Amino acid sequence: MPAQDRIQARPDSYLKELRADVRAGLTAWPKSLPPKYFYDERGSELFDQITRLPEYYPTRAETAILTQRAAEIAQLSACESLVELGSGTSAKTGLLLRALSSGGTLAEFMPFDVDPAVLADAMQMLAAQYPRLRIVPFTGDFERDLGAIPAAAGRRMIAFLGSTIGNLEPAARSGLYRQVAAALRPGDTFLLGTDLVKDPDRLRRAYNDSAGVTAEFNRNVLRVINRELGADFDVEEFEHVAVWDPVNEWMEMRLRSCRQQRVTITDLALTVSFAAGEQMRTEISAKFRRDGIRAELAAAGFRTQRFWTDPDGDFGLTLAELLRSDRARLRVPPRFGEAR
């Protein structure tokens, strides 16, 4: 029977971090909010809808790669413990789980996500499908809590699918890669999904769908702040904006104030003014090139084993092996059950 124990890295940290991030972002110029706060239960539902939209190609492209290559990934990784960062509903992970389970090596799956509600739903489904698999859901922030992942007895693979890595600017990406390296041992593997550079018009359509689902997803961050911090954002008075930045090669999602307005965040004792037309950044989504992915991973101690794309060349999936660990240099805390 699968284990249903839950691990929560820092149970009291969410509100503390939300307060700090909102204060920092709303008192900066230009204003910004971190995209991780899109993902309450409603935000996760909206994102799941986004992945099914005709304009949004990344999920279909990545699924096509996994459908074709999952068995090869299982063979190359010989993975006994799988950790998925930002797992959400774990829908695409099923392709990996089936391949790893049929290969006879997989003993443990750890879905890692900031939203405990979506983890709970995914666990019910996975426990029924894989009754012999040890499933250990982990609630945490992958930018801060990778050092708290419990140790694995055998070979481990960390999977970061869905192009979420593109939400991080280069310095933050570099830091995350080093944290992933510190959570693995030499010979373990890292499976990374990346959206690739392409026609900006296709990108704009993917981030500004005709049904308006992405707009609702974008505005959901304001609803989260209203609920959690006692704010009074008039959510409908902010318009969704999606723009392509050709210099940084990323899409930006922003919220534009429809009028001059003042917002009070009671929990922070903070009042913030917005000018009519003022834009606040809520997300970046970087697009990648193959050589850049290889170089970024190499800087953290990984060697690229395979790089796959879908037939249209929209999306990239990289399997990389850890050659050296950066744990000592980073002074990452020991994983549970592991001494240094």
Side-chain angles (χ1 to χ4, degrees), residues 170 197 200 243-252 286-287 289:
V197 174
V243 297
W244 169 245
D245 181 337
V247 175
N248 291 302
E249 293 190 316
W250 65 42
M251 288 295 298
E252 283 197 13
K287 308 307 167 188
R289 299 180 187 271

Side-chain angles (χ1 to χ4, degrees), residues 22 124 208:
V22 169
Q124 287 187 349
N208 193 19

Side-chain angles (χ1 to χ4, degrees), residues 90-137:
S90 298
K92 286 174 293 188
T93 318
L95 296 167
L96 277 179
L97 290 175
R98 283 193 290 275
L100 290 164
S101 297
S102 64
T105 61
L106 188 67
E108 178 185 79
F109 174 50
M110 181 176 293
F112 187 121
D113 200 273
V114 71
D115 180 9
V118 76
L119 276 179
D121 291 342
M123 289 315 93
Q124 287 187 349
M125 175 188 68
L126 291 172
Q129 293 178 352
Y130 302 95
R132 297 184 181 277
L133 182 64
R134 173 177 167 81
I135 302 172
V136 185

